[in-house]
Amino acid sequence: EVQLVESGGGLVEPGGSLRVSCAASGIKFIDAWMTWVRQAPGEGLEWVGRIKSKGGGETTDYAAPVKGRFTISRDDSQSTVYLQMNSLKPEDTAVYYCTTVSSVANPVFGNWGQGVLVTVSS
Amino acid sequence: EILMTQSPATLSLSPGERATLSCRASQSVGSNLAWYQQKPGQSPSLLIYGASTRATGIPARFSGSGSGTEFSLTISSLQSEDFAVYYCQQYNNWPMYTFGQGTKLEIK
């Protein structure tokens, strides 16, 4: 069974930084492409960014609202993906989900974590 | 950016009825369209990909159709567990994924 467990959320002031983590099990993590998706309170889903596997060069891509402020990285030895968030804004307040990318042929989000809440407020 | 528009915003139906949810893309996405279900207090889960292929374990009462810019998700006979919010997502322009704003399917 695939499990994705996020951690590290919390309250941070505007302009601050926070790193959230996602620990994976039940998958061959070294080959997995991973994404982050967020959901502001009472709102819909917004893709944040993606990291390819080491074999894919660990290439990262980001949505426009977070590009230059957020960084995704991975530690295959720990089967963990990270989302480093800098220069946080109140509009970054959301539940952040990590997901797996099912395949290159069908790059949809096959597995989701339970999410972690990040609140940006003074 | 490809914009995804879902309709209606809210759909009120009774158990046993047929539900049809719509999703429109601002430009063609081919068949690169997925549907996700999000139940209250839960994470989203994958229902349909490739516009019409059910994900593993998804009951046959869920079906997807369409291509290009017009898509639909049909639930043939609503069960109590189907009342949730449904999101469409295009991945034709991946990794620049975009989601629709969601359709809330509620019990009438």
Side-chain angles (χ1 to χ4, degrees):
Chain A
E1 180 191 3
V2 177
Q3 279 200 316
L4 302 173
V5 179
E6 298 95 336
S7 60
L11 175 64
V12 60
E13 292 188 345
S17 298
L18 194 68
R19 188 180 81 161
V20 295
S21 305
C22 170
S25 60
I27 60 171
K28 191 176 181 184
F29 187 81
I30 193 169
D31 292 334
W33 295 18
M34 304 294 293
T35 80
W36 288 94
V37 175
R38 68 183 180 182
Q39 185 170 35
E43 300 296 325
L45 303 171
E46 180 184 25
W47 174 74
V48 171
R50 179 208 66 190
I51 185 165
K52 293 184 180 180
S53 62
K54 187 174 183 177
E58 294 190 13
T59 303
T60 54
D61 293 278
Y62 301 94
V66 307
K67 195 169 185 179
R69 300 188 298 123
F70 289 13
T71 302
I72 300 174
S73 61
R74 61 191 296 154
D75 182 344
D76 289 349
S77 69
Q78 299 293 319
S79 297
T80 298
V81 61
Y82 302 98
L83 178 64
Q84 175 70 44
M85 300 179 284
N86 298 330
S87 303
L88 281 160
K89 306 174 182 180
E91 53 265 39
D92 295 318
T93 294
V95 173
Y96 285 75
Y97 298 100
C98 71
T99 88
T100 59
V101 176
S102 293
S103 68
V104 174
N106 289 289
V108 294
F109 305 158
N111 299 284
W112 296 65
Q114 86 286 354
V116 63
L117 177 62
V118 173
T119 303
V120 184
S121 175
S122 55
Chain B
E1 177 182 330
I2 300 175
L3 298 179
M4 307 300 293
T5 303
Q6 292 185 240
S7 61
T10 303
L11 184 58
S12 299
L13 293 170
S14 300
E17 290 194 292
R18 180 185 185 92
T20 301
L21 288 64
S22 296
C23 176
R24 174 178 291 179
S26 61
Q27 64 189 74
S28 177
V29 298
S31 295
N32 297 310
L33 191 285
W35 291 92
Y36 298 85
Q37 177 192 64
Q38 186 175 31
K39 297 180 182 180
Q42 296 186 19
S43 306
S45 60
L46 178 65
L47 283 177
I48 300 278
Y49 62 91
S52 61
T53 302
R54 284 188 299 276
T56 302
I58 301 304
R61 65 179 181 273
F62 290 90
S63 62
S65 63
S67 66
T69 62
E70 300 285 342
F71 300 87
S72 62
L73 173 70
T74 299
I75 310 171
S76 59
S77 178
L78 285 166
Q79 306 297 303
S80 58
E81 62 267 28
D82 300 336
F83 292 93
V85 179
Y86 293 84
Y87 295 94
C88 63
Q89 175 208 40
Q90 70 78 23
Y91 53 95
N92 190 63
N93 195 31
W94 77 296
M96 299 305 163
Y97 300 91
T98 47
F99 291 91
Q101 81 281 14
T103 289
K104 182 180 181 181
L105 179 56
E106 64 177 24
I107 299 176
K108 188 173 182 179

